Amino acid sequence: MRHNSNRQILGCTQANKQSGFLIPLALFIVVGAATLAVAMSQMAAGSRSSAVYSAFNAQALYAADAGVQMAMHELYYANTDQAAVSAACASVDGSTLNLSGQGVSGCEVSVSCDVTLSSDGDVSLYAIVSQSACGGGEYATGRRIRAESYMRAN
């Protein structure tokens, strides 16, 4: 019987020497998993932010395009001669659009129109610039589109 008790005592001392061996390994695994979780959450937040900014960027592009389309319509829809188109260009210059349609609500567009006559006065060159602003705060973005057209005198 005494022999068994010595083994138990020896067994306990060996167990005491090995206790705590897995604690550094477990601590390393926990710290590594926490670091990985933080990195993944930051990547997910960055991806979401990028998607929102990309959506506002697309809205700004379409809003600026709407400004150019509106100006072209005002210039050429009912006007058939160079003088009337030049007068329409002057009326479009400095105009603003507050868009409220789906996909571009909250965007503002400013439109300018400049006319340049050729040296002989036979050709008028119309330069339309449409500047949009969409979003707000850290997601504020805008686009600028320039379109040109011309008209010959009749």
Side-chain angles (χ1 to χ4, degrees):
M1 185 105 155
R2 184 167 173 115
H3 187 34
N4 283 343
S5 66
N6 283 342
R7 283 186 187 170
Q8 287 178 353
I9 292 173
L10 289 175
C12 282
T13 57
Q14 280 184 336
N16 285 341
K17 287 180 182 176
Q18 292 180 2
S19 69
F21 172 72
L22 291 177
I23 291 176
L25 179 62
L27 189 59
F28 177 74
I29 290 172
V30 168
V31 169
T35 303
L36 184 63
V38 168
M40 288 178 65
S41 69
Q42 286 181 349
M43 286 175 51
S47 176
R48 181 178 44 239
S49 174
S50 177
V52 169
Y53 188 73
S54 178
F56 280 129
N57 217 3
Q59 286 179 340
L61 175 66
Y62 293 131
D65 184 57
V68 168
Q69 295 297 325
M70 181 275 307
M72 288 291 190
H73 174 79
E74 292 292 323
L75 262 64
Y76 293 110
Y77 180 67
N79 303 319
T80 56
D81 64 346
Q82 194 176 19
V85 174
S86 294
C89 181
S91 70
V92 166
D93 189 36
S95 61
T96 59
L97 297 172
N98 288 317
L99 303 173
S100 60
Q102 184 177 2
V104 290
S105 63
C107 295
E108 294 181 357
V109 182
S110 60
V111 180
S112 65
C113 183
D114 294 319
V115 60
T116 305
L117 250 47
S118 63
S119 59
D120 61 0
D122 191 35
V123 178
S124 292
L125 176 67
Y126 303 98
I128 299 167
V129 177
S130 177
Q131 176 76 38
S132 67
C134 296
E138 67 180 288
Y139 300 116
T141 185
R143 288 293 182 104
R144 183 175 186 249
I145 297 178
R146 177 183 172 98
E148 295 181 353
S149 65
Y150 70 93
M151 180 174 238
R152 292 191 181 275
N154 292 342

